[in-house]
Amino acid sequence: MVNFPKPLLLDTPFEKWEWDDVPKYRREQVRHWIFEKGFLQWDKMSNIPKNLKSDLAKKVDLAPMEPVKVQGSTDTTQKILWKLRDNQFIESVLIRATEGTKGVRASRLTLCVSTQVGCALGCKFCASGLDGLKRNLTTGEIVGQVLMARNEAGRRIDNLVFMGMGEPLANLPALLPALDTILSPQGLGIGARHITLSTSGLVPKILELANFPAQIRLAISLHGGDDETRSKIMPINKRYPMTELLGACEKFIGQRKKMITLEYILIKGVNDDLKQAELLAEHAQRLNAKVNLIPYNRVDGLDWERPEKEQINAFYKTVEREKAPRVTLRMEKGHDIDAACGQLRLKEIKSQ
Ligand code: SAH
Ligand code: SF4
């Protein structure tokens, strides 16, 4: 735990803000400034009396972080590097896509959110895990990414994916209250079906999450069809091997009646042979899960590579042929801006 000089207001759910004798309507005005307008500076709140603002400013911090670098373009993908109050760095990524059916096209904005500074799980291919875990993010730092990225984008965020730095399920004590604020119409008002948590497979936490009341979506980072392949790149597989992981997914689905997604990054010569594609399709069928194939994004300092186009296509076709319920191939947007999680932060740390 880090001890900051002042508590962060966003760490506490709105209903539990304790301001002693501050009248209810004033609290509602502050809530409006923060969640409806996205203002995280006391002095900008024009209808709040000056002395109250300076009292509040002495007691609590409003802004969990500041943007230090924004990379990419406003019509595709933008990566934001944040500096936290203890000078740690994290990243969030804004991803724009045009979606729609029957001729109605809409532009959708997705935010990829971080949940930890670094990651303890040390997947061999991942930039976030290279340096180990520094610390968990607080509730306010998770909510703050959404609020402040919304300010950067200048529009509503439609979808959230917890696929940034860190393992969301290793930080449930901070994440679940953050989700309450994100889901609440009094907070950010983003619907549960627009929120996806991605996990490398923390079995007991998957079972715990199955009891969370809101119908948020779950994605499992599988990256291997069998234990041998998965264990080569994901140390977590030794603690929770695939039988246990798939069993936990089955229980999760049983309780939630929502399709889950199996994420599968394709790494040349490591997990891209067609036998793995067959196994992946088998698991997807058993769980009635969607499969999302993601060609690997190179990470500075690591030797892993994405397979050739032909191999990627052959893998995709095999998963489809073997009757996985639904398969998508996500050519990573922002390949050019270090889009894989954790890369921008590593560069920032190295440059200091
Ligand atoms: N810790 C969670 C969520 C964060 S990682 C998890 O592992 O699921 C989000 C996703 O990005 C995971 O599927 C992860 O395997 C993937 N990923 C990590 N490094 C990557 C890279 N270099 N290229 C493509 N995907 C990557
Ligand atoms: Fe952690 Fe996910 Fe990266 Fe693995 S892939 S090291 S679990 S952030």
Side-chain angles (χ1 to χ4, degrees):
M1 268 312 283
V2 259
N3 284 317
F4 295 107
K6 281 184 276 179
L8 180 61
L9 184 65
L10 294 178
D11 276 337
T12 312
F14 171 66
E15 305 76 46
K16 296 195 182 139
W17 288 353
E18 278 176 32
W19 292 345
D20 308 325
D21 51 353
V22 177
K24 249 195 167 157
Y25 78 98
R26 287 275 179 232
R27 295 185 200 185
E28 169 54 26
Q29 283 174 329
V30 171
R31 188 203 68 78
H32 197 265
W33 279 110
I34 296 174
F35 290 112
E36 312 299 328
K37 299 200 169 206
F39 279 62
L40 286 168
Q41 294 120 307
W42 293 113
D43 56 1
K44 295 258 169 81
M45 301 182 184
S46 54
N47 57 359
I48 312 284
K50 259 202 174 123
N51 53 350
L52 176 58
K53 283 193 282 201
S54 70
D55 275 1
L56 292 171
K58 273 182 221 146
K59 278 199 245 165
V60 279
D61 269 346
L62 264 187
M65 58 192 81
E66 53 174 310
V68 285
K69 196 180 282 176
V70 182
Q71 253 186 18
S73 77
T74 46
D75 45 68
T76 52
T77 300
Q78 275 178 305
K79 191 162 200 165
I80 311 167
L81 182 73
W82 309 105
K83 190 178 184 179
L84 305 177
R85 291 182 300 161
D86 61 346
N87 298 329
Q88 302 275 4
F89 294 96
I90 54 160
E91 308 168 6
S92 318
V93 187
L94 283 164
I95 305 152
R96 290 162 180 87
T98 312
E99 290 171 3
T101 46
K102 297 181 189 146
V104 185
R105 308 291 286 169
S107 135
R108 297 257 161 233
L109 186 60
T110 298
L111 181 72
C112 179
V113 184
S114 291
T115 51
Q116 298 182 307
V117 185
C119 182
L121 298 180
C123 301
K124 299 264 175 25
F125 49 82
C126 174
S128 299
L130 278 182
D131 212 17
L133 175 70
K134 294 290 166 231
R135 68 171 174 88
N136 280 325
L137 294 188
T138 68
T139 298
E141 288 166 338
I142 297 171
V143 175
Q145 286 172 71
V146 190
L147 255 173
M148 296 180 77
R150 186 180 73 176
N151 289 349
E152 286 291 328
R155 57 159 285 188
R156 184 189 157 75
I157 289 171
D158 301 297
N159 304 305
L160 290 187
V161 292
F162 287 84
M163 295 185 181
M165 195 188 299
E167 167 55 49
L169 269 52
N171 190 15
L172 284 182
L175 178 57
L176 295 183
L179 284 174
D180 286 341
T181 300
I182 290 167
L183 289 159
S184 163
Q186 295 227 290
L188 285 155
I190 300 177
R193 63 199 177 87
H194 296 286
I195 300 175
T196 304
L197 299 192
S198 174
T199 178
S200 59
L202 297 187
V203 165
K205 305 290 175 188
I206 294 174
L207 298 174
E208 191 181 327
L209 196 67
N211 297 319
F212 187 69
Q215 292 284 332
I216 43 173
R217 295 177 185 272
L218 185 68
I220 306 288
S221 294
L222 207 61
H223 311 336
D226 52 29
D227 280 323
E228 195 192 336
T229 311
R230 197 166 189 263
S231 293
K232 266 195 297 197
I233 45 178
M234 301 181 73
I236 186 75
N237 196 65
K238 301 213 173 87
R239 207 176 344 149
Y240 304 115
M242 287 188 66
T243 353
E244 283 182 39
L245 175 57
L246 299 173
C249 291
E250 227 161 28
K251 286 203 183 116
F252 184 91
I253 302 157
Q255 236 149 306
R256 317 284 295 191
K257 316 264 177 277
K258 269 253 155 29
M259 263 182 131
I260 62 166
T261 303
L262 301 178
E263 306 270 339
Y264 197 102
I265 53 175
L266 287 162
I267 312 178
K268 189 176 182 175
V270 174
N271 66 356
D272 63 340
D273 61 288
L274 301 184
K275 176 74 195 145
Q276 297 300 311
E278 288 171 12
L279 288 169
L280 174 59
E282 208 175 283
H283 303 319
Q285 246 186 30
R286 170 179 159 194
L287 299 172
N288 189 33
K290 297 180 225 174
V291 169
N292 193 8
L293 300 174
I294 311 148
Y296 182 63
N297 261 316
R298 276 197 65 94
V299 172
D300 274 355
L302 296 180
D303 289 335
W304 315 95
E305 279 175 34
R306 63 168 59 178
E308 309 299 332
K309 256 204 178 114
E310 295 70 36
Q311 188 62 20
I312 295 177
N313 285 332
F315 197 98
Y316 175 83
K317 290 225 170 81
T318 308
V319 181
E320 224 179 20
R321 190 195 66 219
E322 296 299 315
K323 302 200 171 45
R326 198 170 345 144
V327 197
T328 51
L329 174 62
R330 189 173 79 197
M331 291 307 275
E332 200 69 67
K333 288 194 179 198
H335 197 41
D336 51 335
I337 58 154
D338 308 316
C341 55
Q343 294 202 56
L344 203 57
R345 165 176 167 267
L346 272 190
K347 277 192 186 153
E348 189 67 24
I349 295 171
K350 280 182 193 155
S351 71
Q352 283 184 345

